[in-house]
């Protein structure tokens, strides 16, 4: 079901203004660090003695109150608001489409303005409500370079990295649309957690490989977890990677969020085929990086994603090797039933076989939930996200479900 309400029509009008502002060379303040924001204010003539105070005010309005128009910053003088508006934008990008699944899952198609000599691009963001939490799946790139053989998103070529602003904007718009900022109402009939935040957890599991866009992802996640702003606990933020080993070390040291690994195989020969980045960073190197990830404990575990492929990686011997391989790593293993898409050569494991696999792993002491499909009717599962901006050519979004994004981070 597609929804385009009067409120959303207004949001789209405002977001088009944001795109026009960007095309006219108006920089955004969203996604800047405090130091960068201070430098930007100084450059437009804000007095040095006022810069720190103005940064604190802007930070509060942007990330606590969630405003997207300088005129709403009521404790800042009109002259200062007009000065800011002449030089910067804080408007949201365009919402092209919002879809709502029968199970409450929401998917947004966002359009971001051109960068340099490029053209506008589109990405998808998914929200999954569960009992006691709401998880937002955020994209980090337009397209992907990894070409994992079972993943339909990976059939789209990389167009470009998303900026820190574009990564954060996905969270800001989701909170707008769900009524998750102060004095905002939740849409009638929306399925959201009964208490607390509507967006309580975020996962970097959308389009792209986050660690191939390290600096922008790092900046966005540090702002998202800043205690004076969006204030999401780092234990409620999960960064998923297919195994960019050097950046895993950096992520642990410089970001410090929860880690998820797209594993899918227990030997290098098979993983080379399923997840080709394994040829560069084989399993031994990947698992060494996991063991070295800071602050690992039974309460801060690494999640290993494992898509169940019939006759490929689902035998009892595979389960035994998985347990042996992960020995000494505090871990949870998400078992993901595969849903074939046209042209793919894989099939989903039999349900009985998935349960046998899960029972063995569980009995060995590792939690191994079998992920329930969500958002099937709006093509909203991870691996299913495929924007319409592959080198600006329209592409067909075909049904595929390779991973589930719910259940990450602490409750």
């Amino acid at each position: 079901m597609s929804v385009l309400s009067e409120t959303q029509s207004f949001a789209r009008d405002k977001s088009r203004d944001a795109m026009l502002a960007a095309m006219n060379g108006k920089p955004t303040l969203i996604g800047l660090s405090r130091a960068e924001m201070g430098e930007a204010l100084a450059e437009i003539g804000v007095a040095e003695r006022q810069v720190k105070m103005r940064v604190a005010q802007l930070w509060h309005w942007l990330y606590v109150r969630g405003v997207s128009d300088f005129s709403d910053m009521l404790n800042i003088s009109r002259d200062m608001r007009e000065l800011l508006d002449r030089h910067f934008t804080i408007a949201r990008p365009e919402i092209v489409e919002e879809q709502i699944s029968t199970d409450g899952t929401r998917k947004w198609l966002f359009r971001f303005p051109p960068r340099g000599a490029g053209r506008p691009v589109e990405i998808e963001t998914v929200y999954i409500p569960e009992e006691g939490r709401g998880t937002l799946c955020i994209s980090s790139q337009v397209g992907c370079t990894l070409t994992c053989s079972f993943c339909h998103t990976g059939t789209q070529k990389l167009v470009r990295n998303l900026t820190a602003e574009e990564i954060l904007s996905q969270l800001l718009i989701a909170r707008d649309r769900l009524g998750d900022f102060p004095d905002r109402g939740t849409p009638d009939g929306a399925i959201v957690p009964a208490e607390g935040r509507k967006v309580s957890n975020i996962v970097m599991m959308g389009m792209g490989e986050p660690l191939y866009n390290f600096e922008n992802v790092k900046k966005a996640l540090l702002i998202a977890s800043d205690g004076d702003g969006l204030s999401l606990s780092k234990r409620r933020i999960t960064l998923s990677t297919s195994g960019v080993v050097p950046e895993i070390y950096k992520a642990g040291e410089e970001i410090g969020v929860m880690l998820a690994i797209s594993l899918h195989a227990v030997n290098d020969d098979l993983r080379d085929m399923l997840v080709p980045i394994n040829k560069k960073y084989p399993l031994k190197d990947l698992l060494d990086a996991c063991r070295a990830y800071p602050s690992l404990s039974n309460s801060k575990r690494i999640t290993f994603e494992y898509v169940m492929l019939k006759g490929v990686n689902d035998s009892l011997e595979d389960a035994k090797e998985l347990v042996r391989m992960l020995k000494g790593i505090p871990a949870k293993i998400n078992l993901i039933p595969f849903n074939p898409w046209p042209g793919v050569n894989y099939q989903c494991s039999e349900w009985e076989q998935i349960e046998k696999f899960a029972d063995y792993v569980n009995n060995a002491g590792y939690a191994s939930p079998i992920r329930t499909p969500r958002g099937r009717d709006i093509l909203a599962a991870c691996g299913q996200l495929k924007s319409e901006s592959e080198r600006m050519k329209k592409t067909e979004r075909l049904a595929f479900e390779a991973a589930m994004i719910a259940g990450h981070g602490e409750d």
Side-chain angles (χ1 to χ4, degrees):
M1 175 176 65
S2 290
V3 177
L4 185 60
S5 65
E6 182 178 342
T7 301
Q8 186 172 337
S9 297
F10 177 68
R12 285 187 62 176
D13 291 341
K14 292 186 73 175
S15 60
R16 286 195 187 97
D17 292 341
M19 290 185 66
L20 290 172
M23 286 186 276
N24 289 332
K26 226 178 182 184
T28 181
L29 293 180
I30 295 170
L32 299 183
S33 66
R34 284 186 177 83
E36 290 169 335
M37 195 179 291
E39 291 171 4
L41 296 181
E43 287 176 2
I44 66 167
V46 175
E48 183 179 351
R49 67 181 183 279
Q50 290 188 9
V51 166
K52 186 175 181 180
M53 174 193 70
R54 295 302 184 194
V55 168
Q57 288 177 320
L58 287 167
W59 202 268
H60 177 85
W61 284 112
L62 292 176
Y63 300 127
V64 177
R65 308 298 297 185
V67 305
S68 56
D69 192 314
F70 290 112
S71 64
D72 294 329
M73 298 181 175
L74 301 181
N75 66 342
I76 298 177
S77 70
R78 178 177 295 178
D79 288 347
M80 179 58 67
R81 282 182 275 160
E82 290 175 351
L83 176 68
L84 292 168
D85 191 48
R86 284 197 299 273
H87 291 278
F88 305 113
T89 179
I90 55 171
R92 307 285 194 248
E94 181 181 356
I95 304 172
V96 177
E97 185 178 32
E98 180 181 46
Q99 294 178 282
I100 305 173
S101 169
T102 55
D103 64 19
T105 298
R106 289 178 180 241
K107 183 172 70 173
W108 295 279
L109 179 65
F110 297 136
R111 180 175 295 140
F112 294 113
R115 300 290 170 187
R119 297 184 180 183
V121 295
E122 295 170 356
I123 58 95
E124 291 176 330
T125 304
V126 174
Y127 172 74
I128 292 184
E130 302 174 87
E131 186 175 350
R133 75 162 85 197
T135 301
L136 188 71
C137 178
I138 293 177
S139 294
S140 58
Q141 296 179 309
V142 185
C144 190
T145 60
L146 294 183
T147 64
C148 297
S149 62
F150 57 85
C151 179
H152 194 229
T153 303
T155 65
Q156 178 181 348
K157 296 177 182 177
L158 178 69
V159 177
R160 68 170 174 85
N161 286 335
L162 295 179
T163 65
E165 172 224 348
E166 291 165 336
I167 295 168
L168 272 175
S169 289
Q170 296 170 66
L171 173 58
L172 296 176
I173 293 178
R175 294 193 68 189
D176 285 341
R177 296 295 300 153
L178 294 167
D180 206 20
F181 281 117
D183 305 320
R184 310 284 176 86
T186 302
D188 291 341
I191 299 176
V192 294
E195 297 179 352
R197 290 188 172 192
K198 312 299 185 292
V199 181
S200 61
N201 295 58
I202 61 176
V203 294
M204 297 299 304
M205 293 184 180
M207 294 173 61
E209 165 56 63
L211 294 185
Y212 276 156
N213 187 16
F214 184 86
E215 292 302 328
N216 286 315
V217 168
K218 171 186 171 180
K219 184 183 286 189
L221 294 186
L222 291 180
I223 292 173
S225 59
D226 184 282
D228 293 324
L230 292 163
S231 197
L232 278 166
S233 166
K234 289 185 179 182
R235 296 173 70 89
R236 290 180 175 267
I237 300 173
T238 301
L239 189 154
S240 177
T241 177
S242 291
V244 188
V245 167
E247 308 304 317
I248 291 175
Y249 290 101
K250 285 183 64 178
E253 294 168 359
E254 300 179 22
I255 309 176
V257 296
M258 305 293 280
L259 183 66
I261 303 293
S262 294
L263 188 63
H264 311 306
V266 295
N267 63 73
D268 284 320
D269 288 342
L270 178 57
R271 196 164 190 270
D272 286 351
M273 181 174 63
L274 296 179
V275 188
I277 194 177
N278 193 74
K279 297 173 185 176
K280 187 173 185 179
Y281 304 115
L283 280 168
K284 181 183 182 304
D285 296 343
L286 174 60
L287 295 174
D288 285 346
C290 291
R291 289 187 174 91
Y293 200 75
S295 304
L296 281 184
S297 65
N298 286 332
S299 61
K300 188 179 179 182
R301 299 172 292 178
I302 292 176
T303 299
F304 290 90
E305 308 285 353
Y306 198 93
V307 64
M308 300 299 294
L309 302 171
K310 184 177 181 179
V312 175
N313 65 353
D314 63 348
S315 70
L316 190 57
E317 289 304 311
D318 289 315
K320 291 177 180 178
E321 180 59 17
L322 179 62
V323 168
R324 188 203 65 77
M325 191 172 71
L326 297 183
K327 185 176 181 179
I329 303 176
K332 177 174 73 172
I333 298 108
N334 280 347
L335 301 180
I336 305 153
F338 176 66
N339 187 26
W341 45 275
V344 75
N345 294 321
Y346 301 111
Q347 294 181 328
C348 182
S349 304
E350 301 292 341
W351 192 257
E352 183 181 0
Q353 187 64 24
I354 296 175
E355 290 184 325
K356 288 179 180 178
F357 195 105
D359 286 344
Y360 184 88
V361 176
N362 271 309
N363 290 336
Y366 292 98
S368 56
I370 302 170
R371 286 298 169 202
T372 305
R374 298 292 302 270
R376 272 180 165 173
D377 51 326
I378 59 171
L379 311 188
C382 281
Q384 193 173 13
L385 304 185
K386 187 173 174 73
S387 83
E388 295 184 345
S389 58
E390 178 179 355
R391 303 293 183 190
M392 291 309 295
K393 295 178 181 177
K394 294 290 182 180
T395 57
E396 194 175 4
R397 290 184 289 166
L398 301 173
F400 168 63
E401 175 188 67
M404 302 316 303
I405 64 178
H408 288 275
E410 69 177 16
D411 294 327

